[in-house]
Amino acid sequence: MRITKDKARQLLKEFSLRATAPRIAVLRALAMSADPLSHTEVLKHLGKRECDPATIYRSLVKLRDVGLATVVSRAEGIDRYAFTPKKNEGHSHPHFLCEDCGRVACLPTELAESISMKGPWARSIQKALIQFRGECPDCIDHSRKDR
């Protein structure tokens, strides 16, 4: 999802945050990414801008605290964040961690819909971080070409 600087400023104000340049940049990086991003990946997305890594980290934490970002994966001890543009709207669907390239990807919503249940575990499962591990399609294709 692409958001403009003006839309990012508006969202930050809606969530009672000052619209600083680092927060706007981090929010836009998360919104434009199809996959959840770690702190290091956000820094890469921001490129050669004057970005203090500590400020970017604090921006991620602040966005998480107010609900504009959600930690959707803690694979390998690394928090990965996703943009959540609406209040109380989580990013609750399964993710896939590629053990070859390290990419964490959002899986299709059809998969999340197929993991439904009733009973005492239903709410816990819906709120859980579900993560699959293995080899992503790109790495599988790459390994086939090497044969």
Side-chain angles (χ1 to χ4, degrees), residues 1-2 26-43 45 60 68-73 78-84 91 93-98 101-108 131 136-138:
M1 163 191 277
R2 287 187 87 71
V26 169
L27 191 60
R28 292 185 73 212
L30 292 175
M32 288 188 236
S33 178
D35 296 329
L37 300 175
S38 67
H39 172 253
T40 303
E41 291 166 334
V42 170
L43 289 171
H45 274 268
L60 283 166
L68 276 169
T70 303
V71 175
V72 298
S73 173
I78 299 169
D79 287 353
R80 288 181 177 83
Y81 301 82
F83 175 58
T84 50
H91 186 93
H93 56 257
H95 293 84
F96 189 93
L97 169 65
C98 180
C101 68
R103 177 180 172 213
V104 174
C106 297
L107 290 175
Q131 186 165 289
C136 73
D138 292 340

Side-chain angles (χ1 to χ4, degrees), residues 72 91-95 122-131:
V72 298
H91 186 93
S92 56
H93 56 257
H95 293 84
R123 190 163 183 216
S124 296
I125 296 298
Q126 290 167 350
K127 295 181 137 240
L129 293 178
I130 300 172
Q131 186 165 289

Side-chain angles (χ1 to χ4, degrees), residues 110-141:
E110 302 85 51
L111 181 61
E113 291 167 357
S114 71
I115 305 172
S116 64
M117 61 186 300
K118 294 184 176 163
W121 282 96
R123 190 163 183 216
S124 296
I125 296 298
Q126 290 167 350
K127 295 181 137 240
L129 293 178
I130 300 172
Q131 186 165 289
F132 295 91
R133 297 174 75 106
E135 197 173 21
C136 73
D138 292 340
C139 288
I140 288 173
D141 289 345

Side-chain angles (χ1 to χ4, degrees), residues 8-9 12-13 17-27 55 59:
R9 277 189 198 93
L12 290 166
K13 288 179 183 180
L17 291 178
R18 284 189 10 241
T20 63
R23 286 182 187 159
I24 291 168
V26 169
L27 191 60
T55 301
S59 294

